[in-house]
Amino acid sequence: MKGTNIGEFEELVLLTIASQIDQAYSVLICDEIERVTGRKVKLGVVHSVLNRLEEKELIASKLGEATKVRGGRRKRFFEVSQTGKAALLKAKEQRDQLWSNIPDVVFDGIS
C-alpha cells in the first residue's frame, strides 16, 4: 500500500464517494463535486484521482450490471475502504485541530 496522505481534491472525491453509499460512479462524482463546490471538474481528472486512490487502497471498485441505457456497458462503482475511511477521519481531525487553533479575533467582522 502506498501512503495514505490525501490531497484536497482526493479528499473531495473520497467524501463524495462516501456520501453516495454504493452508488458512486465517475460521472456522478464529477456532477456532485461541481454542485457542491461550484468548480468545473473534468472527467479525466476524476478518473486519474480514482485510479490513484485505488492504488493507495483508499477505495475499491466493482462493475455494475450492463444496462440498455448505456448501450450494454457497465458502470464502475466505487466505495471507500477501511483505510480510506481512516484517512478521511485523520484529515478531518487535522483540519479541526488547525481550525481550533485560530483565535476568534482573526474572523472578527466577517459574516
Side-chain angles (χ1 to χ4, degrees), residues 8 11 90-108 110-111:
E8 186 256 348
E11 185 178 358
K90 178 182 172 185
K92 182 183 183 312
E93 289 168 1
Q94 290 170 342
R95 288 179 188 266
D96 288 348
Q97 179 64 46
L98 289 168
W99 274 100
S100 71
N101 291 339
I102 300 171
D104 291 338
V105 70
V106 170
F107 293 107
D108 281 353
I110 296 179
S111 50

Side-chain angles (χ1 to χ4, degrees), residues 45-83:
V45 172
V46 169
H47 279 284
S48 294
V49 170
L50 290 168
N51 289 333
R52 189 164 55 247
L53 291 172
E54 253 188 318
E55 287 174 11
K56 290 181 175 183
E57 298 178 5
L58 300 177
I59 62 172
S61 67
K62 62 183 177 202
L63 288 174
E65 297 299 319
T67 63
K68 289 182 181 181
V69 172
R70 294 180 45 84
R73 294 178 314 192
R74 300 163 65 178
K75 286 182 187 173
R76 180 170 296 278
F77 292 96
F78 298 90
E79 63 184 7
V80 181
S81 68
Q82 291 298 347
T83 305

Side-chain angles (χ1 to χ4, degrees), residues 34-47:
E34 284 184 17
R35 184 187 70 76
V36 171
T37 66
R39 291 166 47 174
K40 185 72 177 157
V41 179
K42 294 187 179 195
L43 188 57
V45 172
V46 169
H47 279 284

